[in-house]
Amino acid sequence: MSNNPRDAPSTSEATFVTKALNQGLRLDGRSPYQLRPLALTFGPDLGWVECSLGETRVVVQVSAEIVKPQSDRPYEGFLVISTEISPMAAANYEAGRASDEEVLLARSLEKALRRSNAVDREALCIVAGQKVWSIRVDVHFLNDEGNMLDCASIAAITALQHFRRPDVEVVGEEVTVHSMTERVPVPLAIHHTPICLTFAFFPDSPQSLLDPNHLETQLSSGLMTLTLNAQSEICVLTKAGGAPLDADEIMRVVMIGVGRVREVDEFIKKELEKEKHLLNTSLVPSDSITIACVGQFSGTKQQEICVVRGSTRIQLLRTDPQTGKLETVVESEVFGNIRSLTAFKLTGGTKDYIIIGSDSGRIVVLEYDPAANALNKLHQETYGRSGARRIIPGQYICADPKGRAVMIGAMEKSKLVYILNRDAAANLTISSPLEAHKQRAIIHSMVGVDVGFENPLFAALEVDYGESDNDPTGEAFNSAEKMLTYYELDLGLNHVVRKWSEPTDPRANLLVQVPGGQSATTDKFDGPSGVLVCAEDYIIYKHQGAKDHRVPIPKRADPRADPERGVIIVSAVMHKMKGAFFFLLQSEEGDLYKVTIEHEEEEVVALKIKYFDTVPVASSLCILKSGFLFVASEFGNQYLYQFEKLGDDDDETEWSSAEYDNFGAGTHVLPPAMFRPRPLENLVVADELESLSPILDAQVANFLGEDTPQIYTACGRGARSSVRILRQGLEVGEAVSSELPGAPIAVWTTKLKADDEYDAYIILSFVNGTLVLAIGDTIEEVSDTGFISSAPTLGVQQLGDDALLQVYPKGIRHILADKRVNEWKVGAGQSIVACTTNKRQVVVALSTSEIVYFELDLTGQLNEFQERKEMGVEVLTMSIAEVPEGRQRTPYLAVGCADSTVRVISLDPDNTLETLSLQALTAPPSAIVVAEILDASIDKFHPTLFVNIGLQNGVLLRTVLDGVSGQLTDTRTRFLGSRPVQLARVPIHGSPAILALSSRSWLNYTHQNILQFTPLIFDTLDHAWSFSAELCPEGLIGVVGNSLRIFTFPKLGTKVQQTTIPLSYTPRKLITHPAQKLLYTIESDHRTLSPLAQKKLLADQRAAGMDVDEEVAQLPADVFGLPRAAAGNWASCVRIIDPVEASTIFKLDLENNEAAFSAAIVPFSTQPNDLFLVVGTAQDTSLAPRACKTGYLNTYKILNDGRSLELQHKTETDDVPTALLAFQGRLVAGVGKALRIYDIGKKKLLRKVENKSFASMITTLSTQGSRILVGDVQESVHYAVYKAPESRLIVFADDTSPRWTTAMTMVDYNTVAAGDKFGNIFVNRLAQNVSDEVDEDPTGASIMHEKGYLMGAPHKTGLLAHYHIGDIVTSIQKVSLVAGGRDVLLYTGLSGTVGVLAPFVSNEDVDFFTTLEMHLRTEAPSLVGRDHLAYRGLYAPVKSVVDGDLCNQFILLSMNKQGQVAQELDRTTAEVLKKLETAQSSSW
């Protein structure tokens, strides 16, 4: 109790409280035995807990260190409790001086926690008598509003449960303490959870109180503290003086305390459960290509393209020589940011290597191993700190053309040169780095200079800012020169010198290597050497000692273009041919220019440039020797073009430096060069790679009525933008669809001979007959096949070398090559109910439950085994595998029986028809297929024998059949649909696969040695089989009702199908109609003209007598881009999309230079029968600085069931409306830095309330109930509440960390998940007691008078989870992607990423995946040398999120490493794989 006289209650106050207590009333409204609101907040570290009991607040931090134990207790560790009450808790406490109350609190906590043996101290022993753990509990009292002991005990026991100590390993006498990045930390062994409950007693009153506040404590005549646990055990009873109590009163409060302790214990458990982890999984990895290069990475003549996707994934692509399409060779996640990449080949070598600069602070050399189909790290050299920093190299990298050295540079100052060579064993070696730094220099571009076999030379484009820094007038900045500098590596002296430096065009931005040096086969020079300097409007040839040549970059002769706008080259590629070379340079509008250099030996005669073609703007261009151009588009799909011609014999104008005085050199302005853009003439599209980048917004809905919802993404930039519908599944290409006279019950195809290339017959079985179709130029019915047509068919097989087999209910027909038929028939009253066949074996099941086995002998005769197998139960289905190569038979038969079992029966001659194993099922089987399929996660070198079992309840089981014992192991299940599962074994790209048919069709196949299981995006198939014909060599045939379908899989390995709906401009927002299957988009682009503005411009030109090139003005924008205009010009529209038809049904162009920035569908409560679309626009908007002439809220009435819009009115605003949201029948709007609520009026929207307390622009809004969450560009997420009685909009909580919020969603009423501009996703939660207080305050008066905390709102949210995904988050939402599955957080990223954060369902899963992740950080290190934990915690430490992408790397480990990791997890490899597969399938 405080001794400060200022705190003493007055007499009247004491009398009032006492009278209230006698009536069973308390001043705070609680009942006598009710606790104050309890809240727990978990900090960033394990063991950090803040507890609030009413206004009393305590923070506890648990830590651990290794010490020597006491000699008399060598097996016990220590539990040390330290308390601190600072003056911050109350004014009567002194810093550094323990008061009597603090001493009493410390002793009481020690009794409750240490003396009650809550923590097992023997479990803290490491080495007996030498080393034990000392657990320290630091208790800090932040605010004293009474009963600090109870609050501290709850905080302490919670912190002890939350804490994890480092794992230790003892080998002999050596003790190794593993960091938390190496091994999963270990929880403390806690016997029970003691909790203190304090009761207050009062004079002249029989009423006792639980959890007294500060005033009640002062007025009490005595306190008694009970320490109880959830098992109703009294651990400690303390009464420090005061009035005496009788035994009955003590027993009464004990019984009350038992119930309260259980409630508190349950509350603690729930709060700890809320601390569950999330599993991050990428559904669609980022697919934007930031860098690409070409090389012979496999060591053969064929070239591959190495691309970097999303800066985090490296991939090798190769053109298929048969189809000319691109196919993936290998890809790998690097868990780091690749900043630069190039290929190099050692002198005289035949193989290219990949050298990488990244944010790891290391230079890495990779080699592709074709045998293992993997990228291997050859060298990893550290040169600086990790992270993308200005002066740390990695931003630029270039190699000497002869492969002798490489230079890696930073954006500023730093450049390092590494010498590359071979050792005696012909292995690649890399030297220590040689410095080529230049102080106070900004680097714009670097390239290796081709000088043949002279000392390696590197060129850099640099600007020295030293004088600019010291000149306050700014004159030095304006006169700073951009220098082209040569750095020479002296191989003899082993150092780097600045060889030459010369000023160049101040607008230069890119250097391109020019071939040079003597040819390896002749005395001629390959080229003049030097570099091309690409500047705005000009291309300049420069080289030391050589004359400069300069030509203008041709501009488009587009009447709509801004004449003042310059042309910049953004990407370039040089291609060498025998005795010649040329360059392709691309402008920022996508136009390709062919540049050639006419030279005599080393002297340049002329630099020439001409228009070549127009392709999408690329981040990289690659030319292959096979005649392809790969365009790694900056945004949108990537393209592979084939050269039709090289543009040498067309009519395009060519500009030459020889036409200008002094070869055009100098700084004077050259006459403008103009060209007319046209469709492709020199290139033709050979292939297209789909890319979602950039994703600007996304929604999840099931508009197509499928088993799983679709993801609708707003993608792209400019006129190449689109809405993409993402559907989980394999894309199917339908080749033939034909109607049949009836509905078949089965379908097969067969060859006539084993060595035939294509199938000859299609066999269709009907209920009462069989139809045989011959495959030729046409498909037609045939009758002279030997098949019986009057009965249904059960099985068809090409048998032996040249025979056919038909199984029908009454027998087996063996049709020989000469059309002779050997027939085996069943006995009287019998029929065949099931069969299975391969090229040498036939097994049939009879209606009498007997199994009959046939085998083909060496003469081609089908012989029956002398014995039959009596099953004793009805046989429903059977299967045998194909005969293994080099074997006479397959040794196992799988039989599915009506008693819901599958039995494995031997077909081996030693124990034929003997039952080997049995597996019980949950339902009767409907189909079985045994197949050998390669699954590298199980065995990387040999196929695994799987038994696939389809059940009648729609479930598929996949189990491994042991090839030696015939036992069934490692069973995995998956629900496929509502129909009984049918199975078919089909070949996919020459490898066996399983087609599973239910209410949805699925394909189980091997892609890049990994077994995939993917649904098909196709009509529901009733039956299916393989199909091979000349026009469709690798297809499938299926039956859908009465129609026959022939189809293929054009994009194996692609698990997501994209349907594209084109847009006009960059999408800014995508929203769904609440009742109709419709999407609404707003689109806008800067620096372009609206359709009306274009028409006006062209009309003005015509009126002025100017010639207008109508053909150029009508060129399609999706190919040639939107016309470029001056800053401040906008084009924008509102669009309604029908996703079912994948088409636009309504489009409204905005005029008067308005641009749309936000939108929301609002059901205004004053007009309940109507829906309105409110679009936030701004007129004459500028981006730097961000401003507008006028903002508007355009209110459109939604008509025709959502299919059209009608403008109701426009409401002016003083800033850009950046975020809109429907809220309680009104509109909440973020207008600049203000948050407003509007209601609808007759002529405009009516502003009801406003809050201007936000420091920066509002970007996103979310709501539940009366609560509004606001995200801005600086201060993260704010919690606001609307109090209708007083019409107040009050911010009551915010984040402790500043963030630029880009997307946000409410997980529940108190929890928010959000993403920021720097690639982080975080989850914050508001304390429950704060939430309750805000909701219970009807007017918000108490919130308004609360004092701000940390220069913000009075309350702060706690961080639950934090994770760096490596991509800017553009949308995040809480959805369920699996029917009946749990909710997940689905997010999209700017680079095309689609991923989910899924909550774990049990602590066991948390421990499993956390431990697996920890092991894989060691066993599967980053290819670029980045520390995984540092990468995922780039801006803040990872918290409560497990990297599922890293866990999935387990599949790619060697079998030996898989076994080692599984052993550490106390599981088998199969169990680990099963866990990973289950986690993957439960997400989507």
Side-chain angles (χ1 to χ4, degrees):
M1 187 168 65
S2 174
N3 296 320
N4 193 332
R6 290 179 302 172
D7 291 336
S10 63
T11 303
S12 59
E13 188 176 16
T15 303
F16 178 78
V17 172
T18 304
K19 288 183 177 180
L21 290 175
N22 288 332
Q23 299 175 30
L25 303 174
R26 300 173 79 167
L27 294 186
D28 54 14
R30 288 184 289 153
S31 64
Y33 301 112
Q34 182 182 353
L35 289 168
R36 286 173 292 175
L38 177 62
L40 293 171
T41 303
F42 298 91
D45 300 321
L46 293 169
W48 192 102
V49 174
E50 179 182 340
C51 179
S52 299
L53 191 59
E55 295 299 319
T56 301
R57 292 171 59 211
V58 177
V59 167
V60 172
Q61 174 71 67
V62 180
S63 57
E65 63 175 337
I66 296 177
V67 298
K68 188 174 182 180
Q70 293 179 350
S71 57
D72 58 336
R73 296 188 175 184
Y75 298 100
E76 287 190 7
F78 296 94
L79 179 64
V80 181
I81 299 171
S82 171
T83 60
E84 179 196 24
I85 307 180
S86 68
M88 182 171 63
N92 52 292
Y93 298 113
E94 297 182 26
R97 181 177 177 182
S99 63
D100 294 342
E101 188 168 359
E102 183 176 353
V103 173
L104 182 61
L105 279 169
R107 289 178 180 174
S108 299
L109 279 175
E110 185 177 356
K111 288 178 183 178
L113 297 175
R114 193 169 70 82
R115 297 187 187 179
S116 69
N117 292 322
V119 177
D120 185 353
R121 281 178 284 170
E122 289 189 358
L124 302 176
C125 178
I126 301 172
V127 178
Q130 297 181 31
K131 294 183 178 181
V132 297
W133 286 105
S134 175
I135 305 300
R136 180 183 175 91
V137 182
D138 290 295
V139 184
H140 303 275
F141 297 90
L142 303 182
N143 193 36
D144 178 13
E145 282 298 327
N147 197 14
M148 289 194 294
L149 175 59
D150 292 10
C151 188
S153 74
I154 294 171
I157 195 63
T158 305
L160 287 169
Q161 294 179 78
H162 189 246
F163 179 69
R164 300 290 188 272
R165 64 167 176 81
D167 195 9
V168 293
E169 183 178 12
V170 181
V171 180
E173 296 185 356
E174 183 181 350
V175 177
T176 303
V177 181
H178 295 280
S179 69
M180 295 190 180
T181 62
E182 296 173 331
R183 285 195 179 179
V184 178
V186 180
L188 301 178
I190 297 178
H191 291 308
H192 63 108
T193 54
I195 296 168
C196 295
L197 293 179
T198 299
F199 292 84
F201 301 90
F202 298 86
D204 305 324
S205 175
Q207 184 67 63
S208 57
L209 297 180
L210 173 63
D211 182 25
N213 60 26
H214 187 65
L215 176 61
E216 292 168 343
T217 302
Q218 288 180 305
L219 296 176
S220 67
S221 60
L223 300 174
M224 183 178 73
T225 300
L226 290 170
T227 304
L228 301 154
N229 60 25
Q231 290 74 39
S232 304
E233 297 172 332
I234 299 178
C235 304
V236 181
L237 191 152
T238 303
K239 186 177 183 303
L245 299 175
D246 56 32
D248 291 340
E249 179 65 14
I250 293 174
M251 287 304 299
R252 190 173 69 85
V253 297
V254 165
M255 296 306 296
I256 293 170
V258 167
R260 294 294 178 267
V261 162
R262 288 176 179 166
E263 293 174 5
V264 174
D265 186 67
E266 284 298 318
F267 178 79
I268 293 173
K269 287 179 180 177
K270 287 181 180 178
E271 291 299 306
L272 288 169
E273 282 291 310
K274 289 179 182 177
E275 280 288 289
K276 279 187 175 179
H277 288 51
L278 301 168
L279 178 67
N280 176 74
T281 306
S282 296
L283 302 181
V284 180
S286 58
D287 53 14
S288 66
I289 296 181
T290 54
I291 314 167
C293 66
V294 67
Q296 294 168 295
F297 302 111
S298 57
T300 63
K301 289 185 178 181
Q302 186 172 12
Q303 291 180 304
E304 291 89 15
I305 304 168
C306 179
V307 301
V308 176
R309 291 193 178 270
S311 299
T312 62
R313 196 159 49 101
I314 190 167
Q315 184 181 45
L316 281 188
L317 301 172
R318 179 187 294 155
T319 55
D320 188 315
Q322 304 296 326
T323 63
K325 304 290 186 182
L326 284 170
E327 58 183 19
T328 300
V329 180
V330 66
E331 61 181 326
S332 180
E333 191 77 37
V334 302
F335 301 103
N337 286 311
I338 298 176
R339 303 167 67 193
S340 55
L341 174 144
T342 191
F344 74 93
K345 183 186 297 179
L346 292 173
T347 304
T350 60
K351 186 172 190 173
D352 281 284
Y353 299 91
I354 303 165
I355 192 158
I356 295 173
S358 68
D359 63 348
S360 65
R362 294 163 169 158
I363 190 169
V364 173
V365 180
L366 300 182
E367 177 188 31
Y368 172 60
D369 181 1
N373 194 35
L375 292 168
N376 297 328
K377 190 189 303 181
L378 296 185
H379 289 281
Q380 176 178 292
E381 301 296 327
T382 303
Y383 54 73
R385 298 172 63 189
S386 63
R389 307 171 191 270
R390 287 190 311 164
I391 61 171
I392 300 298
Q395 183 66 28
Y396 305 104
I397 195 166
C398 57
D400 169 56
K402 301 302 180 186
R404 299 168 296 171
V406 64
M407 175 180 273
I408 184 167
M411 297 181 68
E412 183 179 333
K413 174 190 170 184
S414 305
K415 293 181 287 293
L416 299 172
V417 176
Y418 290 86
I419 300 173
L420 305 169
N421 213 330
R422 293 189 182 91
D423 60 13
N427 295 319
L428 174 70
T429 62
I430 187 168
S431 70
S432 298
L434 304 173
E435 292 186 356
H437 302 335
K438 186 179 187 305
Q439 297 291 339
R440 296 180 295 279
I442 295 175
I443 305 165
H444 289 265
S445 183
M446 282 185 1
V447 72
V449 181
D450 193 348
V451 291
F453 289 96
E454 297 178 12
N455 282 333
L457 199 63
F458 300 95
L461 202 57
E462 301 174 333
V463 176
D464 191 320
Y465 64 85
E467 294 182 5
S468 302
D469 263 1
N470 300 321
D471 178 19
T473 65
E475 292 181 7
F477 172 80
N478 294 326
S479 60
E481 292 183 319
K482 191 167 286 186
M483 309 295 291
L484 174 63
T485 306
Y486 277 5
Y487 292 88
E488 183 181 41
L489 168 63
D490 192 318
L491 293 173
L493 300 177
N494 202 35
H495 74 280
V496 182
V497 296
R498 293 179 74 235
K499 185 177 181 180
W500 175 68
S501 187
E502 184 174 286
T504 186
D505 193 311
R507 300 173 297 175
N509 66 299
L510 184 67
L511 298 179
V512 183
Q513 176 194 110
V514 175
Q518 282 189 313
S519 171
T521 57
T522 66
D523 293 335
K524 293 184 178 181
F525 284 84
D526 288 338
S529 188
V531 295
L532 291 182
V533 180
C534 302
E536 185 176 344
D537 290 332
Y538 297 103
I539 304 296
I540 308 165
Y541 168 79
K542 294 184 80 71
H543 189 43
Q544 183 181 5
K547 183 69 178 173
D548 286 1
H549 287 252
R550 185 171 67 134
V551 292
I553 302 175
K555 292 184 178 180
R556 289 186 181 183
D558 190 336
R560 303 164 299 171
D562 180 7
E564 302 300 321
R565 184 181 178 87
V567 182
I568 296 175
I569 299 299
V570 294
S571 58
V573 62
M574 183 271 293
H575 183 62
K576 292 175 69 173
M577 302 174 290
K578 286 186 178 180
F581 62 89
F582 68 90
F583 306 87
L584 285 183
L585 309 182
Q586 187 183 42
S587 73
E588 59 183 334
E589 292 187 322
D591 299 319
L592 288 176
Y593 304 99
K594 183 180 179 182
V595 175
T596 54
I597 295 178
E598 189 177 318
H599 65 102
E600 295 178 357
E601 297 298 326
E602 293 185 283
E603 182 182 353
V604 175
V605 176
L607 175 66
K608 299 180 179 181
I609 186 170
K610 65 188 297 188
Y611 171 62
F612 188 73
D613 263 331
T614 298
V615 298
V617 180
S619 58
S620 294
L621 297 171
C622 297
I623 296 179
L624 282 69
K625 293 178 181 178
S626 52
F628 290 100
L629 169 67
F630 178 67
V631 177
S633 304
E634 187 179 25
F635 297 108
N637 297 350
Q638 289 89 34
Y639 292 87
L640 182 72
Y641 294 91
Q642 189 164 17
F643 283 96
E644 290 284 291
K645 52 185 180 178
L646 293 178
D648 296 328
D649 54 353
D650 56 20
D651 297 329
E652 291 292 337
T653 306
E654 187 172 56
W655 289 267
S656 171
S657 61
E659 300 171 358
Y660 304 102
D661 294 339
N662 197 26
F663 299 109
T667 58
H668 60 284
V669 177
L670 296 179
M674 307 297 289
F675 74 93
R676 294 180 73 252
R678 49 160 172 74
L680 294 179
E681 283 189 1
N682 300 305
L683 300 171
V684 61
V685 177
D687 196 13
E688 181 178 1
L689 300 181
E690 290 180 325
S691 172
L692 296 173
S693 173
I695 299 178
L696 283 309
D697 199 5
Q699 294 290 339
V700 177
N702 192 3
F703 289 149
L704 304 183
E706 298 177 342
D707 293 342
T708 57
Q710 303 84 49
I711 302 172
Y712 297 86
T713 59
C715 310
R717 188 182 71 168
R720 296 182 66 218
S721 302
S722 61
V723 168
R724 307 271 180 111
I725 305 174
L726 307 185
R727 303 164 68 189
Q728 183 204 20
L730 199 60
E731 185 174 339
V732 175
E734 187 174 272
V736 175
S737 177
S738 178
E739 292 299 315
L740 297 171
I745 58 173
V747 62
W748 297 268
T749 59
T750 182
K751 299 175 181 178
L752 292 178
K753 297 180 181 179
D755 55 359
D756 284 351
E757 186 176 0
Y758 303 120
D759 292 324
Y761 293 147
I762 299 172
I763 298 93
L764 297 169
S765 176
F766 295 87
V767 175
N768 56 359
T770 298
L771 177 65
V772 182
L773 304 175
I775 303 172
D777 294 336
T778 60
I779 297 177
E780 54 188 16
E781 182 180 353
V782 290
S783 57
D784 58 342
T785 59
F787 285 89
I788 188 169
S789 60
S790 58
T793 299
L794 301 178
V796 173
Q797 178 70 50
Q798 193 278 313
L799 205 62
D801 294 330
D802 55 6
L804 298 178
L805 183 87
Q806 180 190 21
V807 182
Y808 63 101
K810 291 301 180 180
I812 301 174
R813 292 174 66 85
H814 184 190
I815 307 166
L816 303 179
D818 56 5
K819 301 298 183 181
R820 289 184 296 119
V821 176
N822 295 328
E823 191 161 4
W824 176 90
K825 292 190 176 182
V826 300
Q830 295 180 333
S831 63
I832 299 174
V833 295
C835 70
T836 180
T837 62
N838 61 29
K839 290 183 180 296
R840 302 195 58 83
Q841 297 164 283
V842 180
V843 185
V844 298
L846 304 181
S847 56
T848 55
S849 302
E850 292 178 304
I851 288 181
V852 185
Y853 174 50
F854 301 85
E855 191 171 308
L856 201 68
D857 61 20
L858 297 178
T859 65
Q861 295 297 316
L862 197 61
N863 298 320
E864 179 184 351
F865 186 67
Q866 61 269 26
E867 297 179 7
R868 296 186 178 185
K869 174 74 173 179
E870 177 60 50
M871 297 300 296
V873 65
E874 182 186 356
V875 176
L876 300 180
T877 181
M878 297 189 300
S879 179
I880 55 176
E882 296 289 349
V883 178
E885 190 173 351
R887 300 280 297 274
Q888 288 292 321
R889 64 186 61 81
T890 183
Y892 301 116
L893 165 70
V895 181
C897 302
D899 60 352
S900 299
T901 61
V902 166
R903 308 175 192 201
V904 177
I905 295 172
S906 173
L907 299 181
D908 192 272
D910 294 336
N911 55 349
T912 307
L913 297 184
E914 179 180 321
T915 301
L916 301 177
S917 61
L918 181 144
Q919 178 165 326
L921 309 173
T922 58
S926 53
I928 296 179
V929 167
V930 182
E932 282 190 317
I933 302 178
L934 180 65
D935 185 359
S937 64
I938 298 176
D939 190 330
K940 298 186 185 304
F941 307 105
H942 306 96
T944 302
L945 189 61
F946 291 103
V947 179
N948 298 271
I949 309 165
L951 306 184
Q952 294 182 8
N953 59 4
V955 173
L956 175 69
L957 279 72
R958 193 193 76 195
T959 183
V960 176
L961 178 58
D962 190 291
V964 177
S965 65
Q967 299 299 308
L968 297 173
T969 60
D970 187 17
T971 301
R972 307 184 192 183
T973 63
R974 178 175 291 211
F975 179 72
L976 303 188
S978 56
R979 288 168 40 175
V981 178
Q982 299 297 321
L983 300 172
R985 183 171 52 224
V986 296
I988 300 294
H989 284 191
S991 301
I994 303 297
L995 191 63
L997 311 179
S998 182
S999 55
R1000 193 174 187 185
S1001 305
W1002 300 69
L1003 186 67
N1004 192 14
Y1005 66 103
T1006 300
H1007 180 70
Q1008 295 182 347
N1009 292 341
I1010 301 298
L1011 198 61
Q1012 313 277 350
F1013 195 71
T1014 311
L1016 305 185
I1017 301 178
F1018 198 54
D1019 294 335
T1020 301
L1021 293 168
D1022 300 319
H1023 312 280
W1025 203 257
S1026 62
F1027 179 85
S1028 178
E1030 187 174 358
L1031 297 178
C1032 185
E1034 288 191 344
L1036 297 179
I1037 188 168
V1039 173
V1040 179
N1042 290 355
S1043 65
L1044 192 66
R1045 311 284 183 89
I1046 298 174
F1047 55 94
T1048 59
F1049 304 118
K1051 296 179 180 179
L1052 280 177
T1054 304
K1055 298 181 180 179
V1056 177
Q1057 187 216 35
Q1058 300 181 20
T1059 302
T1060 302
I1061 306 169
L1063 303 178
S1064 301
Y1065 312 112
T1066 304
R1068 305 294 174 177
K1069 188 73 176 174
L1070 179 69
I1071 52 181
T1072 59
H1073 193 286
Q1076 305 296 327
K1077 296 179 179 180
L1078 297 173
L1079 294 169
Y1080 295 76
T1081 67
I1082 56 168
E1083 308 159 37
S1084 57
D1085 268 315
H1086 187 220
R1087 288 182 176 268
T1088 191
L1089 300 173
S1090 67
L1092 188 62
Q1094 292 183 41
K1095 290 180 182 179
K1096 184 177 183 303
L1097 176 63
L1098 296 176
D1100 291 344
Q1101 291 177 356
R1102 294 187 191 98
M1106 299 172 61
D1107 291 333
V1108 175
D1109 192 330
E1110 300 290 349
E1111 187 177 343
V1112 172
Q1114 297 301 320
L1115 288 173
D1118 58 336
V1119 177
F1120 294 91
L1122 297 165
R1124 300 299 180 99
N1129 287 285
W1130 292 81
S1132 187
C1133 71
V1134 180
R1135 184 186 304 266
I1136 304 176
I1137 294 171
D1138 183 347
V1140 179
E1141 299 296 329
S1143 62
T1144 296
I1145 57 175
F1146 181 87
K1147 181 186 174 187
L1148 176 68
D1149 286 304
L1150 301 183
E1151 300 300 341
N1152 300 321
N1153 205 29
E1154 274 189 60
F1157 294 96
S1158 56
I1161 293 178
V1162 185
F1164 286 104
S1165 56
T1166 54
Q1167 298 190 29
N1169 297 324
D1170 296 318
L1171 273 179
F1172 295 87
L1173 175 69
V1174 182
V1175 180
T1177 68
Q1179 187 178 12
D1180 299 339
T1181 307
S1182 62
L1183 298 180
R1186 184 179 292 273
C1188 67
K1189 178 182 177 182
T1190 310
Y1192 294 103
L1193 293 173
N1194 295 348
T1195 305
Y1196 299 94
K1197 188 175 183 179
I1198 299 177
L1199 305 174
N1200 301 327
D1201 293 329
R1203 305 178 78 86
S1204 63
L1205 301 174
E1206 180 184 84
L1207 180 65
Q1208 295 291 103
H1209 46 61
K1210 298 168 75 78
T1211 306
E1212 287 193 12
T1213 61
D1214 54 0
D1215 208 335
V1216 180
T1218 50
L1220 301 177
L1221 187 69
F1223 173 74
Q1224 295 185 351
R1226 295 181 176 182
L1227 171 73
V1228 59
V1231 181
K1233 301 178 183 180
L1235 183 67
R1236 299 171 181 169
I1237 293 179
Y1238 289 90
D1239 206 344
I1240 194 167
K1242 290 184 177 180
K1243 295 185 178 180
K1244 67 175 183 178
L1245 294 176
L1246 308 176
R1247 188 192 309 179
K1248 295 298 183 181
V1249 63
E1250 181 178 35
N1251 186 312
K1252 291 186 175 182
S1253 64
F1254 299 95
S1256 55
M1257 183 182 71
I1258 295 171
T1259 57
T1260 180
L1261 298 169
S1262 187
T1263 182
Q1264 280 190 23
S1266 62
R1267 190 164 295 174
I1268 303 169
L1269 268 62
V1270 183
D1272 64 14
V1273 299
Q1274 184 174 318
E1275 298 298 334
S1276 190
V1277 177
H1278 308 258
Y1279 282 64
V1281 64
Y1282 174 59
K1283 296 297 183 181
E1286 300 295 326
S1287 192
R1288 288 174 178 165
L1289 196 55
I1290 308 167
V1291 176
F1292 64 91
D1294 58 15
D1295 196 355
T1296 54
S1297 301
R1299 302 174 189 272
W1300 182 312
T1301 312
T1302 56
M1304 175 178 66
T1305 188
M1306 294 186 72
V1307 181
D1308 57 41
Y1309 193 56
N1310 295 327
T1311 311
V1312 61
D1316 65 28
K1317 188 181 179 180
F1318 302 102
N1320 302 304
I1321 286 182
F1322 58 96
V1323 181
N1324 281 11
R1325 175 172 288 147
L1326 182 69
Q1328 184 63 48
N1329 63 324
V1330 176
S1331 178
D1332 293 341
E1333 288 176 11
V1334 171
D1335 289 345
E1336 290 167 4
D1337 184 354
T1339 63
S1342 62
I1343 309 171
M1344 294 181 65
H1345 292 96
E1346 285 187 283
K1347 185 179 179 181
Y1349 181 55
L1350 295 178
M1351 300 176 64
H1355 302 285
K1356 301 297 175 184
T1357 55
L1359 182 67
L1360 295 186
H1362 193 281
Y1363 186 77
H1364 178 70
I1365 67 166
D1367 196 359
I1368 299 175
V1369 181
T1370 55
S1371 74
I1372 184 168
Q1373 47 201 303
K1374 179 184 173 185
V1375 295
S1376 176
L1377 295 176
V1378 178
R1382 64 184 186 274
D1383 285 339
V1384 298
L1385 290 173
L1386 181 135
Y1387 62 85
T1388 58
L1390 191 69
S1391 296
T1393 307
V1394 181
V1396 294
L1397 289 164
F1400 287 108
V1401 295
S1402 67
N1403 287 329
E1404 178 194 356
D1405 284 348
V1406 173
D1407 293 339
F1408 169 82
F1409 280 96
T1410 306
T1411 309
L1412 178 61
E1413 181 188 38
M1414 179 265 297
H1415 284 296
L1416 288 172
R1417 289 190 186 119
T1418 304
E1419 299 297 341
S1422 166
L1423 275 180
V1424 297
R1426 188 73 159 110
D1427 179 78
H1428 176 266
L1429 205 60
Y1431 171 66
R1432 290 306 188 191
L1434 189 60
Y1435 292 92
V1438 178
K1439 179 178 172 61
S1440 300
V1441 181
V1442 176
D1443 189 349
D1445 294 336
L1446 178 63
C1447 292
N1448 286 330
Q1449 298 296 307
F1450 178 85
I1451 299 170
L1452 304 177
L1453 295 179
S1454 66
M1455 295 173 65
N1456 185 37
K1457 283 188 176 182
Q1458 283 183 344
Q1460 292 174 1
V1461 173
Q1463 188 175 3
E1464 290 288 335
L1465 295 168
D1466 293 328
R1467 296 174 186 262
T1468 65
T1469 301
E1471 289 173 336
V1472 176
L1473 293 170
K1474 187 175 181 178
K1475 274 275 190 185
L1476 292 172
E1477 184 180 319
T1478 302
Q1480 189 79 18
S1481 61
S1482 62
S1483 296
W1484 194 25

